[in-house]
Amino acid sequence: MLRRARFRGVLGVLGALLALAALPVLGALGRDGAATASAAAAPDPAAARRATAARLAAEDIADIPVRFRVVNRNRSGLACNTDGRTYTIRGHLTAPARLLAGTSAPAVTFYQHGLAAGEWYWRIDVPGYHHSEELARRGHASLTIDRLGYGASDKPDGRALCLGGDADMTHQIVQQLRAGTYRAERAEPVRFDDVVLAGHDRGAQIAEIAAYSFRDVDGLVLTGWSDSGLTDEDDARFFAALTSCMQGGVPAGSGRGAGGYTHFDVGARDFVRGNAAAPDRRALAVAKDLQSRHPCGVQVSQLEGVLVDTRRLPEIEVPVALVYGAEDRRVRGGEAHRARFTGASGTDLLTVAGAGHFLGVEHGARQVQDFIASWLDEKGFDR
């Protein structure tokens, strides 16, 4: 019997839905259709980006815009629908400049965001909370992207996207990283020997699917995800968003763009309550203003995805690092999820005291950064 999977008891879900319905929604609609709470204001985005760029330059850290041409197809172990068309995924390669200028091919960690986030989750322009910058300061190269349907990447109809397709596109990007066939702005693309997949929330699920489907990565870093540890509150939000998707969803952007998208959280208060426990106010203010809509097809495919994952996770043979917030309202059961990786060459687990689901905005973010950097060093992904 599958326990604590997506299909939990109806009473638990209904109870959580009633609790969420009782929450007031604060503020007026923001630029992405989400309500904007009256808490701490985010720093001026342009000024914050300039400050980040100045810090990176001072420490001789390269931050290179990159893009990948991918086909939205699905050859993964999770059957779901895609449109077979070619799109562009955009992101950034961030690393110590000396690492990219060397004669040998270095290692890179490829980070993917979750449902309600974007590349910004790994690049919050607040000192100490820009994950790629902090990992570069610790000697590591990071690739962060907006997944298809998010941010600066192309946004097709959200009903033509799914987790299996995301895993296939992950595989395509891994192959381009190894071959050096992607595009880098004002730079020659660097070829990487070792590629570690990292993800947060459903980005971690994509990393899992890619790992057992294509077997072409060297390690996994999974944060804020467990196939069998999704809480009743997460279930309530999931099925509320699913209702929107069943009605066709909304456009990718505020009143424009392709359809088939929705919000996982209804408004800023819901977003903050579900994702934060002990956040840095500045980092949380940035995240709150950047809450992302997600493709409906990705959400729908998660139902089958958790069932396939529970059967196939033992096939993963590479080392796995797992990170959880002790006060995460959405995902629990880190030890239980760790136990599923019976074929892995090793597993390591960090639970951050006092932290919620969005570990990147919590006061414990530095603990996460230190843990991941040390794990990469220990496993030999330090060049």
Side-chain angles (χ1 to χ4, degrees):
M1 181 180 67
L2 292 173
R3 295 186 298 177
R4 295 191 64 80
R6 172 60 66 188
F7 304 103
R8 213 179 316 275
V10 173
L11 290 177
V13 174
L14 289 176
L17 279 168
L18 289 171
L20 290 175
L23 292 175
V25 177
L26 301 180
L29 289 180
R31 65 175 181 273
D32 191 35
T36 303
S38 58
D44 175 66
R49 284 194 297 271
R50 289 194 297 269
T52 297
R55 291 195 309 271
L56 295 174
E59 299 217 31
D60 199 22
I61 294 173
D63 192 43
I64 305 169
V66 293
R67 62 185 187 274
F68 303 84
R69 292 291 284 171
V70 298
V71 179
N72 180 30
R73 61 189 174 195
N74 184 13
R75 300 164 295 176
S76 79
L78 173 61
C80 53
N81 294 323
T82 55
D83 63 11
R85 296 179 179 177
T86 300
Y87 297 101
T88 298
I89 289 179
R90 297 174 176 86
H92 292 82
L93 178 61
T94 309
R98 57 168 176 76
L99 195 66
L100 302 183
T103 56
S104 61
V108 66
T109 304
F110 172 12
Y111 292 90
Q112 301 200 57
H113 58 81
L115 269 186
E119 185 192 16
W120 59 260
Y121 178 82
W122 308 106
R123 296 173 57 85
I124 295 175
D125 286 312
V126 173
Y129 291 87
H130 190 295
H131 184 87
S132 297
E133 174 189 355
E134 293 303 317
L135 267 290
R137 292 179 64 242
R138 292 160 174 79
H140 295 282
S142 301
L143 169 68
T144 54
I145 63 164
D146 276 313
R147 286 164 36 206
L148 192 63
Y150 290 85
S153 293
D154 291 348
K155 297 183 181 67
D157 191 305
R159 292 160 290 195
L161 307 179
C162 72
L163 287 171
D166 276 326
D168 195 304
M169 288 181 282
T170 297
H171 166 64
Q172 294 173 54
I173 292 173
V174 168
Q175 294 301 304
Q176 292 179 44
L177 289 169
R178 294 192 186 279
T181 54
Y182 57 96
R183 296 296 182 90
E185 185 175 300
R186 298 188 301 275
E188 288 296 318
V190 174
R191 183 177 65 82
F192 295 93
D193 265 356
D194 295 324
V195 180
V196 175
L197 288 186
H200 178 257
D201 185 77
R202 277 66 173 182
Q205 186 180 21
I206 292 167
E208 292 176 345
I209 297 168
Y212 64 64
S213 297
F214 301 104
R215 303 174 184 270
D216 63 347
V217 297
D218 302 289
L220 285 180
V221 178
L222 312 174
T223 73
W225 174 254
S226 171
D227 287 284
S228 55
L230 301 171
T231 65
D232 287 341
E233 182 170 325
D234 188 87
D235 283 348
R237 295 169 193 267
F238 179 93
F239 286 109
L242 186 62
T243 299
S244 171
C245 287
M246 292 172 66
Q247 296 171 352
V250 296
S254 182
R256 63 186 186 279
Y261 290 76
T262 192
H263 275 119
F264 196 73
D265 301 296
V266 181
R269 184 180 178 90
D270 203 14
F271 178 77
V272 171
R273 182 179 185 272
N275 291 307
D280 176 273
R281 287 174 60 84
R282 301 163 302 165
L284 179 61
V286 172
K288 176 173 61 64
D289 283 355
L290 294 173
Q291 177 187 0
S292 303
R293 299 177 181 185
H294 66 268
C296 286
V298 170
Q299 178 171 343
V300 171
S301 62
Q302 186 191 325
L303 292 165
E304 178 70 13
V306 294
L307 301 178
V308 175
D309 289 350
T310 55
R311 176 168 52 87
R312 297 200 59 180
L313 290 181
E315 299 175 24
I316 294 174
E317 298 179 348
V318 298
V320 180
L322 305 98
V323 185
Y324 297 90
E327 303 303 322
D328 193 332
R329 301 177 68 93
R330 298 188 164 178
V331 177
R332 298 292 175 92
E335 283 288 358
H337 195 56
R338 178 187 190 178
R340 293 187 180 277
F341 293 92
T342 54
S345 59
T347 59
D348 294 274
L349 172 68
L350 170 68
T351 301
V352 182
H357 186 61
F358 266 35
L359 294 149
V361 306
E362 298 284 332
H363 286 300
R366 180 171 181 175
Q367 189 178 351
V368 176
Q369 296 155 7
D370 286 340
F371 172 77
I372 293 175
S374 296
W375 184 85
L376 292 170
D377 291 340
E378 177 188 329
K379 301 304 178 184
F381 306 123
D382 56 352
R383 63 184 195 284

